Amino acid sequence: MKLWGGRFREAENRLMEDFNSSFPFDMRLWEEDINGSLAHAAMLGKQNIIPPEEAELICETLRQMKEDIEKGDLVLSGLAEDAEDIHTFVEAELTRRIGDVGKKLHTGRSRNDQVAVDMRMYARRQAEETRELVLQLAEMLQQKGRENHPVLMPGYTHLQRAQVVTFAYYMDAYRQMFLRDAKRLENSRELMNESPLGCGALAGTTHQLDRGQTAEALGFNKPADNFLDGVSDRDYLIELCSDFSLIMMHLSRLSEELILWSSQEFRFVTIGDGYATGSSIMPQKKNPDACELIRGKTGRVYGSLMGLLTVMKGLPMAYDKDMQEDKQGFFDAVDTVKSCLEIMREVIRTMTVNAEVMKKSVRQGFLNATEVADFLVARGVPFRDAHGIVGRIVIACEDKGCAIEDLSLEELQTFSPAFDDSIYEYLDYQNILNKGIKKEILL
Ligand code: ARG
């Protein structure tokens, strides 16, 4: 018999039953569902809406069920008819254990506020766990930079060698992105932390529930202000998917760099054997699959964000069954982003930085050209003229196949009389980073 079977004359069609069931994917909410029910039952008892000793029996049994699920004694499965979703499963099992008293749990509650509070608690926990992984990655980037300090490397714009930086500084740029991501998750967590429990189906209940008590018991800052909004709000899932999408975008950019850097063309880094794979035909191949997979999975997470936005678009208030479609996309997004963060942390931990190759690349490509212009500026040459002079020096060096520092002072002076002996010390790549605000790069 369905929870809601009373007003029906005919049984639900089997095809419809499968189509309607969310149990195969919402069973992962079991802990949140039981915790929500524990808070609700305790409050019902305290408010004398059900006899306190019955509330106590319900709570004891729910706690026992939690233990049994953890131990594997109670398995999350069942026929679709008694497990339309995780809420039905928990209530049916409770009633199987304690009979009619179990049927009192749902007093003053709807599955609409129940699923809303479950999802919020689940999303909150996932936001916290994801934030922790983001911070671990940020820390790993810093550690890898420190281990390899001060390794010089080319910085790029347009993927053309531009100016010298350090490997640690490059890693720090990614660290900054992930620190912002951590902050975003923290902000989202704060904004979502209001309890929808007690909002009922859409308009509260005639029972004197204590929403403050359940909100506090479940770790929320306060109960939702509006019943309609409480059951129908899924903003927090969309916001988290947006946070996840940004994390994936950052991971994807980092992946792309590592794919390039580990190629024969760059050879800046060597990916650890544990995080690369080989080819079934080409014996020499070592492929950066971990990074490629992260780059590829980014699309999945963006897809979840678009999916959720589209599910919610145009939905009238309050609850609509469309909202059941909030789950798989969100679950997939959170699973994906967490595994990618973990893998990237390990890829960074196990990769080798080829300092000599990076250093050699710094010496090819006129990465000190801007500083030669700065030198002339310090001697009174207007910057625009200095830019032109150095441009001509670069052409001459290209023709000779040498670097600017390989030219003699006499040669340099043919381009500008402002050059003197101190130019060589000035344009040394390491020294460049000790000048002006570039000192920040070395910190
Ligand atoms: N499985 C449903 C969901 O995920 C639970 C809420 C059901 N509510 C309802 N009125 N049928 O959205």
Side-chain angles (χ1 to χ4, degrees), residues 22 26 85 87 111-112 115 319 321 324 327:
S22 54
D26 69 14
D85 49 33
H87 327 298
R111 275 184 299 163
N112 296 355
V115 74
Y319 178 85
K321 198 58 178 263
Q324 180 164 288
K327 291 180 190 59

Side-chain angles (χ1 to χ4, degrees), residues 365-405:
F366 310 105
L367 277 80
N368 51 8
T370 314
E371 285 68 35
V372 177
D374 288 345
F375 175 92
L376 294 174
V377 166
R379 275 144 191 83
V381 182
F383 178 73
R384 196 45 62 207
D385 294 340
H387 188 287
I389 291 166
V390 181
R392 287 188 288 280
I393 294 176
V394 167
I395 291 183
C397 289
E398 270 180 351
D399 290 344
K400 280 185 73 168
C402 71
I404 302 178
E405 58 270 31

